[in-house]
Amino acid sequence: MTNDPLQTLGEFIIKKQDDFRYSSGELSRLLSAIRLASKVVNREVNKAGIADIVGQAGNTNIQGEDQQKLDVLANEIFIAALSQREVVCGIASEENDDFIEIKPTENGHLSKYVVLIDPLDGSSNIDVNVSVGTIFSIYRRITEPGTPVELKDFLQKGIHQIAAGYVVYGSSTMIVYTTGNGVNGFTLDPSLGTYYLSHPNMKFPKNGKIYSINEGNYIKFPQGVKDYLKYCQMEEGDRPYTSRYIGSLVSDFHRNMIKGGIYIYPSTSQSPNGKLRLLYECNPMALLAEQAGGKCSDGFHRILEIEPEKLHQRVPFFCGSMEMVEKAEEFMNSKLNSR
Ligand code: P6P
């Protein structure tokens, strides 16, 4: 018996567009631009060791992090793909200090979307051939179409995201995204350059046995995090759990969504707001987590409800299986939790 042919990402995008009666097709074209850019980045990531594009670009980004050459290249690829299709009026990127206005061409289409992106997350893993990812977040602009895009178009709460997703350049390359009606995963067949629906309706297991955190920072953690880690390591009930930390948010998140688990990047004595950026890392991953039945907070408050104040602001991040995040929040809210 032949299996039904797998649906391609392109067919899926068009089919989902029909779910929105008044859709203009602009979001479909935007998602297609991301699909195209991901294939180009995938090709560069897969040959990074050969071409002279590994290693540092010799400058640093606004985060004060050494920009890896592939970071810069991935950023250029996504900005080009998005700006050439008149599907966005503005782009904010981890690699750019300020947002970029995408002006409409003469009599061109007035786009209503802005995109925030981490073009190559986990880039410190590039030189050692460990998986990396792209994270994207899409909003409808709040200022008048046809006027210059403004900072307020980007500083929107995560609950207002129209769509969010990631590309994971791993043992296989996948796009996982949501437009607010569940989470679906597509795997790239590199021989055809086509993404196929391989993980329909992805769901976080309610509980899990994996915790992902950089325990090298243990002494700098808040007491609540230290107490939660000791809880995870106790020989009791379904514990001890297993520690798995790749150093690429996208990869740790992806594994935890499939197997069950929690990812934590908390505040530390050195970085009171943690490391991860709210707008193009935490918000898109939080929308995916909630759409997949998981939970995401800063240890106290829902990530998607945080009012952004700055483009590159950081927040502590607890994300994954509902019951594991709730247990971690219990320790964070315990009266004993102090630095
Ligand atoms: P650390 C990559 O730079 C990143 O933003 C996430 O992808 C990853 O989980 C985290 O930082 C790793 O940070 O401090 O543990 O090396």
Side-chain angles (χ1 to χ4, degrees):
M1 187 181 83
T2 56
N3 297 328
D4 292 340
L6 282 174
Q7 194 175 28
T8 68
L9 175 54
E11 290 162 342
F12 186 88
I13 290 173
I14 295 301
K15 178 176 170 300
K16 285 299 170 190
Q17 175 183 319
D18 296 343
D19 292 352
F20 297 91
R21 210 157 9 135
Y22 304 108
S23 69
S24 64
E26 189 176 341
L27 181 60
S28 298
R29 288 200 309 281
L30 203 173
L31 293 169
S32 297
I34 289 173
R35 174 183 57 174
L36 173 64
S38 74
K39 292 181 190 177
V40 179
V41 171
N42 178 62
R43 182 190 63 200
E44 297 308 321
V45 166
N46 287 345
K47 69 180 185 184
I50 302 168
D52 174 28
I53 49 175
V54 295
Q56 298 180 2
N59 45 10
T60 58
N61 60 21
I62 189 170
Q63 328 294 339
E65 295 165 345
D66 292 336
Q67 273 190 315
Q68 302 284 341
K69 288 179 183 174
L70 256 176
D71 269 344
V72 176
L73 183 58
N75 195 41
E76 289 165 0
I77 291 166
F78 274 95
I79 289 173
L82 289 165
S83 47
Q84 281 159 11
R85 294 198 177 190
E86 298 188 328
V87 288
V88 293
C89 58
I91 301 170
S93 167
E94 179 190 76
E95 301 305 331
N96 296 80
D97 298 355
D98 205 349
F99 63 84
I100 302 164
E101 182 191 1
I102 307 296
K103 291 185 170 57
T105 53
E106 193 71 25
N107 306 321
H109 175 70
L110 298 182
S111 168
K112 55 177 175 289
Y113 294 115
V114 295
V115 174
L116 298 98
I117 190 161
D118 182 355
L120 208 61
D121 180 73
S123 52
S124 55
N125 282 322
I126 293 166
D127 288 352
V128 293
N129 203 15
V130 169
S131 60
V132 292
T134 296
I135 308 172
F136 61 90
S137 170
I138 301 170
Y139 290 87
R140 195 172 278 110
R141 70 179 299 176
I142 53 178
T143 52
E144 198 55 36
T147 64
V149 72
E150 298 176 31
L151 182 58
K152 68 173 84 165
D153 291 308
F154 299 92
L155 299 186
Q156 298 185 54
K157 283 185 182 179
I159 49 173
H160 299 309
Q161 290 175 100
I162 298 298
Y166 58 80
V167 187
V168 52
Y169 310 97
S171 49
S172 65
T173 294
M174 284 188 70
I175 285 187
V176 176
Y177 81 96
T178 180
T179 54
N181 294 304
V183 177
N184 292 283
F186 301 81
T187 300
L188 180 66
D189 176 338
S191 66
L192 298 174
T194 304
Y195 282 102
Y196 288 95
L197 179 61
S198 53
H199 297 65
N201 195 24
M202 297 181 82
K203 289 291 178 196
F204 258 106
K206 280 273 169 286
N207 211 330
K209 290 179 176 278
I210 297 171
Y211 64 92
S212 306
I213 188 170
N214 183 343
E215 294 188 66
N217 297 323
Y218 180 83
I219 52 169
K220 303 173 202 152
F221 288 156
Q223 191 56 45
V225 171
K226 293 177 180 176
D227 294 344
Y228 177 64
L229 290 179
K230 291 306 157 213
Y231 167 82
C232 292
Q233 292 157 3
M234 279 169 67
E235 298 262 350
E236 192 178 277
D238 60 353
R239 287 164 286 126
Y241 294 158
T242 295
S243 172
R244 286 285 183 275
Y245 190 68
I246 297 172
S248 277
L249 166 61
V250 168
S251 304
D252 282 314
F253 179 98
H254 187 76
R255 180 208 49 245
N256 291 349
M257 180 158 64
I258 291 172
K259 292 183 176 282
I262 184 171
Y263 172 100
I264 302 175
Y265 209 106
S267 62
T268 66
S269 45
Q270 263 180 325
S271 311
N273 294 315
K275 175 182 182 182
L276 301 187
R277 276 65 52 140
L278 171 63
L279 289 178
Y280 40 79
E281 290 176 319
C282 300
N283 270 338
M285 303 311 271
L287 183 65
L288 287 164
E290 292 196 3
Q291 283 286 316
K295 189 171 188 186
C296 201
S297 77
D298 62 3
F300 306 98
H301 310 103
R302 186 183 179 204
I303 288 288
L304 294 179
E305 292 281 3
I306 295 176
E307 188 72 57
E309 291 164 7
K310 290 190 179 138
L311 209 48
H312 300 286
Q313 80 182 68
R314 302 172 193 265
V315 291
F317 192 63
F318 296 66
C319 187
S321 293
M322 176 76 75
E323 292 174 10
M324 296 184 84
V325 174
E326 287 172 346
K327 177 57 78 175
E329 287 173 340
E330 269 179 43
F331 285 100
M332 292 302 288
N333 287 283
S334 152
K335 57 182 180 307
L336 303 176
N337 176 33
S338 60
R339 179 101 39 239

Short mmCIF file of all heavy atoms in Angstrom, two decimals, residues 130-179:
data_model
loop_
_atom_site.label_atom_id
_atom_site.label_comp_id
_atom_site.label_asym_id
_atom_site.label_seq_id
_atom_site.Cartn_x
_atom_site.Cartn_y
_atom_site.Cartn_z
N VAL A 130 28.30 21.72 15.78
CA VAL A 130 27.11 21.37 16.59
C VAL A 130 25.94 22.19 16.06
O VAL A 130 26.13 23.31 15.56
CB VAL A 130 27.38 21.68 18.08
CG1 VAL A 130 26.11 21.59 18.91
CG2 VAL A 130 28.45 20.74 18.61
N SER A 131 24.72 21.64 16.15
CA SER A 131 23.57 22.27 15.49
C SER A 131 23.32 23.69 15.99
O SER A 131 23.56 24.03 17.14
CB SER A 131 22.32 21.42 15.70
OG SER A 131 22.03 21.28 17.06
N VAL A 132 22.83 24.52 15.05
CA VAL A 132 22.48 25.91 15.32
C VAL A 132 21.08 26.15 14.77
O VAL A 132 20.45 25.24 14.24
CB VAL A 132 23.50 26.88 14.67
CG1 VAL A 132 24.86 26.77 15.34
CG2 VAL A 132 23.62 26.60 13.18
N GLY A 133 20.59 27.38 14.94
CA GLY A 133 19.21 27.62 14.51
C GLY A 133 18.95 29.07 14.14
O GLY A 133 19.78 29.96 14.40
N THR A 134 17.81 29.29 13.50
CA THR A 134 17.29 30.63 13.22
C THR A 134 15.96 30.75 13.96
O THR A 134 15.20 29.78 14.01
CB THR A 134 17.02 30.80 11.71
OG1 THR A 134 18.26 30.71 11.00
CG2 THR A 134 16.36 32.15 11.42
N ILE A 135 15.70 31.89 14.59
CA ILE A 135 14.43 32.10 15.28
C ILE A 135 13.77 33.35 14.71
O ILE A 135 14.45 34.37 14.49
CB ILE A 135 14.65 32.31 16.80
CG1 ILE A 135 15.51 31.16 17.38
CG2 ILE A 135 13.31 32.39 17.55
CD1 ILE A 135 15.94 31.37 18.83
N PHE A 136 12.45 33.27 14.43
CA PHE A 136 11.76 34.44 13.86
C PHE A 136 10.42 34.68 14.55
O PHE A 136 9.77 33.76 15.04
CB PHE A 136 11.58 34.28 12.34
CG PHE A 136 10.76 33.09 11.92
CD1 PHE A 136 9.38 33.20 11.77
CD2 PHE A 136 11.36 31.86 11.67
CE1 PHE A 136 8.62 32.11 11.37
CE2 PHE A 136 10.61 30.75 11.26
CZ PHE A 136 9.23 30.87 11.12
N SER A 137 10.06 35.96 14.54
CA SER A 137 8.81 36.41 15.19
C SER A 137 8.16 37.45 14.28
O SER A 137 8.84 38.34 13.76
CB SER A 137 9.18 37.06 16.54
OG SER A 137 8.08 37.71 17.11
N ILE A 138 6.85 37.31 14.04
CA ILE A 138 6.16 38.18 13.07
C ILE A 138 5.00 38.90 13.75
O ILE A 138 4.20 38.26 14.46
CB ILE A 138 5.61 37.33 11.90
CG1 ILE A 138 6.76 36.59 11.18
CG2 ILE A 138 4.86 38.23 10.89
CD1 ILE A 138 6.29 35.54 10.17
N TYR A 139 4.94 40.22 13.57
CA TYR A 139 3.84 41.04 14.09
C TYR A 139 3.20 41.83 12.95
O TYR A 139 3.86 42.10 11.93
CB TYR A 139 4.35 42.07 15.12
CG TYR A 139 4.82 41.50 16.44
CD1 TYR A 139 6.14 41.08 16.60
CD2 TYR A 139 3.97 41.40 17.53
CE1 TYR A 139 6.59 40.57 17.82
CE2 TYR A 139 4.42 40.90 18.75
CZ TYR A 139 5.72 40.49 18.87
OH TYR A 139 6.16 39.99 20.09
N ARG A 140 1.96 42.24 13.15
CA ARG A 140 1.34 43.24 12.28
C ARG A 140 1.79 44.61 12.81
O ARG A 140 1.80 44.83 14.03
CB ARG A 140 -0.19 43.09 12.38
CG ARG A 140 -0.93 43.80 11.29
CD ARG A 140 -2.42 43.47 11.31
NE ARG A 140 -2.74 42.21 10.64
CZ ARG A 140 -3.16 41.11 11.29
NH1 ARG A 140 -3.30 41.13 12.59
NH2 ARG A 140 -3.43 40.00 10.64
N ARG A 141 2.16 45.50 11.92
CA ARG A 141 2.58 46.85 12.39
C ARG A 141 1.40 47.55 13.06
O ARG A 141 0.23 47.27 12.69
CB ARG A 141 3.10 47.67 11.22
CG ARG A 141 2.07 48.09 10.22
CD ARG A 141 2.64 48.92 9.08
NE ARG A 141 3.26 50.16 9.57
CZ ARG A 141 3.91 51.02 8.76
NH1 ARG A 141 4.04 50.78 7.48
NH2 ARG A 141 4.45 52.12 9.25
N ILE A 142 1.70 48.43 14.02
CA ILE A 142 0.60 49.16 14.68
C ILE A 142 0.53 50.60 14.15
O ILE A 142 -0.47 51.29 14.38
CB ILE A 142 0.75 49.17 16.22
CG1 ILE A 142 2.12 49.67 16.67
CG2 ILE A 142 0.50 47.77 16.77
CD1 ILE A 142 2.27 49.71 18.19
N THR A 143 1.57 51.02 13.42
CA THR A 143 1.51 52.37 12.83
C THR A 143 0.88 52.28 11.43
O THR A 143 0.73 51.20 10.88
CB THR A 143 2.93 52.96 12.73
OG1 THR A 143 3.77 52.00 12.05
CG2 THR A 143 3.50 53.25 14.11
N GLU A 144 0.53 53.41 10.87
CA GLU A 144 -0.23 53.48 9.61
C GLU A 144 0.57 52.96 8.42
O GLU A 144 1.71 53.40 8.20
CB GLU A 144 -0.60 54.96 9.38
CG GLU A 144 -1.73 55.21 8.40
CD GLU A 144 -3.01 54.44 8.77
OE1 GLU A 144 -3.29 54.32 9.97
OE2 GLU A 144 -3.68 53.93 7.85
N PRO A 145 0.05 51.99 7.67
CA PRO A 145 0.75 51.54 6.46
C PRO A 145 1.08 52.75 5.56
O PRO A 145 0.27 53.67 5.45
CB PRO A 145 -0.27 50.61 5.79
CG PRO A 145 -1.12 50.13 6.90
CD PRO A 145 -1.22 51.27 7.88
N GLY A 146 2.28 52.70 4.98
CA GLY A 146 2.68 53.80 4.09
C GLY A 146 3.51 54.83 4.84
O GLY A 146 4.25 55.61 4.23
N THR A 147 3.40 54.84 6.21
CA THR A 147 4.27 55.75 6.98
C THR A 147 5.52 54.98 7.38
O THR A 147 5.51 53.73 7.36
CB THR A 147 3.55 56.23 8.26
OG1 THR A 147 3.32 55.08 9.10
CG2 THR A 147 2.22 56.88 7.91
N PRO A 148 6.60 55.69 7.75
CA PRO A 148 7.83 54.97 8.15
C PRO A 148 7.56 54.09 9.38
O PRO A 148 6.86 54.51 10.29
CB PRO A 148 8.81 56.10 8.48
CG PRO A 148 8.30 57.29 7.74
CD PRO A 148 6.80 57.13 7.69
N VAL A 149 8.09 52.89 9.36
CA VAL A 149 7.93 51.99 10.51
C VAL A 149 8.61 52.60 11.72
O VAL A 149 9.60 53.34 11.58
CB VAL A 149 8.51 50.59 10.15
CG1 VAL A 149 10.03 50.61 10.10
CG2 VAL A 149 7.99 49.53 11.09
N GLU A 150 8.05 52.35 12.90
CA GLU A 150 8.59 52.97 14.12
C GLU A 150 8.96 51.91 15.15
O GLU A 150 8.50 50.76 15.05
CB GLU A 150 7.54 53.93 14.72
CG GLU A 150 7.16 55.09 13.80
CD GLU A 150 6.05 55.95 14.43
OE1 GLU A 150 6.01 56.01 15.69
OE2 GLU A 150 5.23 56.51 13.67
N LEU A 151 9.73 52.28 16.17
CA LEU A 151 10.17 51.34 17.21
C LEU A 151 8.97 50.66 17.86
O LEU A 151 8.99 49.46 18.14
CB LEU A 151 11.02 52.07 18.26
CG LEU A 151 11.59 51.22 19.39
CD1 LEU A 151 12.47 50.10 18.85
CD2 LEU A 151 12.37 52.09 20.39
N LYS A 152 7.86 51.39 18.02
CA LYS A 152 6.69 50.80 18.71
C LYS A 152 6.12 49.62 17.92
O LYS A 152 5.47 48.74 18.49
CB LYS A 152 5.62 51.87 18.94
CG LYS A 152 4.96 52.39 17.66
CD LYS A 152 3.78 53.31 17.97
CE LYS A 152 4.24 54.73 18.21
NZ LYS A 152 3.09 55.71 18.16
N ASP A 153 6.38 49.58 16.61
CA ASP A 153 5.91 48.43 15.81
C ASP A 153 6.61 47.13 16.24
O ASP A 153 6.09 46.04 16.03
CB ASP A 153 6.17 48.68 14.32
CG ASP A 153 5.27 49.78 13.76
OD1 ASP A 153 4.04 49.68 13.97
OD2 ASP A 153 5.80 50.74 13.17
N PHE A 154 7.82 47.30 16.83
CA PHE A 154 8.61 46.12 17.24
C PHE A 154 8.43 45.81 18.74
O PHE A 154 8.55 44.67 19.16
CB PHE A 154 10.10 46.35 16.94
CG PHE A 154 10.39 46.55 15.47
CD1 PHE A 154 10.40 47.84 14.92
CD2 PHE A 154 10.61 45.47 14.64
CE1 PHE A 154 10.65 48.02 13.57
CE2 PHE A 154 10.86 45.65 13.29
CZ PHE A 154 10.88 46.92 12.75
N LEU A 155 8.16 46.86 19.53
CA LEU A 155 8.07 46.66 20.98
C LEU A 155 6.66 46.24 21.37
O LEU A 155 5.98 46.90 22.17
CB LEU A 155 8.47 47.95 21.72
CG LEU A 155 9.90 48.45 21.50
CD1 LEU A 155 10.18 49.64 22.42
CD2 LEU A 155 10.92 47.33 21.76
N GLN A 156 6.19 45.13 20.81
CA GLN A 156 4.85 44.63 21.12
C GLN A 156 4.95 43.39 22.01
O GLN A 156 5.89 42.61 21.90
CB GLN A 156 4.09 44.28 19.82
CG GLN A 156 3.85 45.45 18.89
CD GLN A 156 2.99 45.04 17.70
OE1 GLN A 156 1.89 44.50 17.87
NE2 GLN A 156 3.47 45.31 16.49
N LYS A 157 3.97 43.20 22.89
CA LYS A 157 3.95 42.00 23.73
C LYS A 157 3.90 40.74 22.86
O LYS A 157 3.28 40.74 21.79
CB LYS A 157 2.70 42.02 24.63
CG LYS A 157 2.77 42.95 25.82
CD LYS A 157 1.51 42.74 26.66
CE LYS A 157 1.46 43.66 27.86
NZ LYS A 157 0.21 43.46 28.65
N GLY A 158 4.47 39.66 23.38
CA GLY A 158 4.50 38.41 22.62
C GLY A 158 3.13 37.85 22.29
O GLY A 158 2.96 37.13 21.31
N ILE A 159 2.12 38.20 23.10
CA ILE A 159 0.77 37.69 22.80
C ILE A 159 0.24 38.23 21.47
O ILE A 159 -0.70 37.68 20.90
CB ILE A 159 -0.25 38.07 23.91
CG1 ILE A 159 -0.17 39.54 24.25
CG2 ILE A 159 -0.09 37.17 25.11
CD1 ILE A 159 -1.24 40.01 25.22
N HIS A 160 0.84 39.31 20.96
CA HIS A 160 0.35 39.89 19.70
C HIS A 160 1.06 39.33 18.47
O HIS A 160 0.81 39.80 17.36
CB HIS A 160 0.50 41.41 19.76
CG HIS A 160 -0.30 42.04 20.87
ND1 HIS A 160 -1.64 41.77 21.06
CD2 HIS A 160 0.06 42.90 21.86
CE1 HIS A 160 -2.08 42.44 22.12
NE2 HIS A 160 -1.08 43.13 22.63
N GLN A 161 1.95 38.37 18.65
CA GLN A 161 2.61 37.78 17.48
C GLN A 161 1.59 37.14 16.55
O GLN A 161 0.67 36.46 17.01
CB GLN A 161 3.61 36.71 17.93
CG GLN A 161 4.84 37.27 18.64
CD GLN A 161 5.74 36.17 19.17
OE1 GLN A 161 6.75 35.83 18.56
NE2 GLN A 161 5.39 35.63 20.30
N ILE A 162 1.76 37.37 15.25
CA ILE A 162 0.91 36.75 14.22
C ILE A 162 1.44 35.34 13.93
O ILE A 162 0.68 34.40 13.69
CB ILE A 162 0.99 37.59 12.92
CG1 ILE A 162 0.45 38.98 13.15
CG2 ILE A 162 0.27 36.89 11.77
CD1 ILE A 162 -1.00 39.04 13.54
N ALA A 163 2.75 35.19 13.98
CA ALA A 163 3.38 33.89 13.71
C ALA A 163 4.76 33.89 14.36
O ALA A 163 5.33 34.96 14.66
CB ALA A 163 3.52 33.66 12.20
N ALA A 164 5.29 32.67 14.59
CA ALA A 164 6.64 32.55 15.17
C ALA A 164 7.15 31.16 14.82
O ALA A 164 6.35 30.23 14.62
CB ALA A 164 6.60 32.75 16.68
N GLY A 165 8.48 31.05 14.77
CA GLY A 165 9.02 29.73 14.46
C GLY A 165 10.53 29.70 14.52
O GLY A 165 11.17 30.70 14.87
N TYR A 166 11.07 28.54 14.21
CA TYR A 166 12.53 28.40 14.14
C TYR A 166 12.92 27.45 13.02
O TYR A 166 12.09 26.64 12.57
CB TYR A 166 13.13 27.92 15.48
CG TYR A 166 12.64 26.60 16.02
CD1 TYR A 166 13.14 25.38 15.52
CD2 TYR A 166 11.70 26.55 17.03
CE1 TYR A 166 12.69 24.18 16.02
CE2 TYR A 166 11.24 25.35 17.55
CZ TYR A 166 11.74 24.16 17.04
OH TYR A 166 11.29 22.95 17.54
N VAL A 167 14.16 27.58 12.61
CA VAL A 167 14.80 26.61 11.73
C VAL A 167 15.88 25.95 12.58
O VAL A 167 16.61 26.63 13.31
CB VAL A 167 15.48 27.28 10.51
CG1 VAL A 167 16.00 26.22 9.53
CG2 VAL A 167 14.52 28.23 9.81
N VAL A 168 15.95 24.63 12.58
CA VAL A 168 17.05 23.96 13.29
C VAL A 168 17.90 23.26 12.24
O VAL A 168 17.42 22.45 11.45
CB VAL A 168 16.54 22.98 14.38
CG1 VAL A 168 15.51 21.99 13.86
CG2 VAL A 168 17.71 22.27 15.05
N TYR A 169 19.18 23.71 12.17
CA TYR A 169 20.15 23.12 11.23
C TYR A 169 20.88 22.02 12.00
O TYR A 169 21.94 22.24 12.57
CB TYR A 169 21.12 24.20 10.74
CG TYR A 169 20.44 25.45 10.23
CD1 TYR A 169 20.29 26.57 11.05
CD2 TYR A 169 19.92 25.52 8.94
CE1 TYR A 169 19.65 27.72 10.60
CE2 TYR A 169 19.28 26.67 8.47
CZ TYR A 169 19.15 27.76 9.31
OH TYR A 169 18.51 28.90 8.87
N GLY A 170 20.21 20.86 12.06
CA GLY A 170 20.74 19.77 12.90
C GLY A 170 21.12 18.56 12.04
O GLY A 170 21.50 18.72 10.89
N SER A 171 20.94 17.36 12.60
CA SER A 171 21.23 16.15 11.80
C SER A 171 20.32 16.17 10.57
O SER A 171 20.66 15.66 9.51
CB SER A 171 20.98 14.89 12.64
OG SER A 171 19.72 14.97 13.26
N SER A 172 19.14 16.78 10.71
CA SER A 172 18.37 17.15 9.52
C SER A 172 17.97 18.61 9.74
O SER A 172 18.08 19.13 10.86
CB SER A 172 17.12 16.28 9.37
OG SER A 172 16.24 16.54 10.46
N THR A 173 17.55 19.26 8.68
CA THR A 173 17.13 20.66 8.80
C THR A 173 15.62 20.71 8.84
O THR A 173 14.95 20.07 8.01
CB THR A 173 17.68 21.50 7.63
OG1 THR A 173 19.12 21.52 7.75
CG2 THR A 173 17.16 22.92 7.67
N MET A 174 15.08 21.42 9.82
CA MET A 174 13.63 21.50 9.98
C MET A 174 13.20 22.94 10.18
O MET A 174 13.93 23.75 10.73
CB MET A 174 13.19 20.71 11.23
CG MET A 174 13.18 19.21 11.07
SD MET A 174 12.43 18.40 12.50
CE MET A 174 10.70 18.89 12.29
N ILE A 175 11.98 23.21 9.69
CA ILE A 175 11.29 24.46 10.05
C ILE A 175 10.12 24.05 10.95
O ILE A 175 9.38 23.11 10.62
CB ILE A 175 10.74 25.21 8.82
CG1 ILE A 175 11.88 25.90 8.06
CG2 ILE A 175 9.70 26.23 9.22
CD1 ILE A 175 11.43 26.81 6.92
N VAL A 176 10.00 24.71 12.12
CA VAL A 176 8.90 24.47 13.04
C VAL A 176 8.25 25.82 13.30
O VAL A 176 8.95 26.78 13.65
CB VAL A 176 9.40 23.86 14.37
CG1 VAL A 176 8.25 23.71 15.37
CG2 VAL A 176 10.10 22.52 14.13
N TYR A 177 6.93 25.95 13.02
CA TYR A 177 6.33 27.27 13.21
C TYR A 177 4.86 27.18 13.58
O TYR A 177 4.24 26.12 13.48
CB TYR A 177 6.53 28.12 11.94
CG TYR A 177 5.57 27.88 10.81
CD1 TYR A 177 4.45 28.68 10.65
CD2 TYR A 177 5.78 26.84 9.90
CE1 TYR A 177 3.56 28.47 9.60
CE2 TYR A 177 4.90 26.62 8.86
CZ TYR A 177 3.78 27.44 8.71
OH TYR A 177 2.91 27.22 7.67
N THR A 178 4.33 28.30 14.05
CA THR A 178 2.91 28.41 14.36
C THR A 178 2.36 29.72 13.81
O THR A 178 3.09 30.72 13.74
CB THR A 178 2.65 28.34 15.88
OG1 THR A 178 1.24 28.44 16.13
CG2 THR A 178 3.35 29.48 16.62
N THR A 179 1.10 29.70 13.40
CA THR A 179 0.41 30.97 13.08
C THR A 179 -0.75 31.14 14.07
O THR A 179 -1.72 31.82 13.79
CB THR A 179 -0.13 30.97 11.64
OG1 THR A 179 -0.96 29.80 11.48
CG2 THR A 179 0.99 30.96 10.62
#
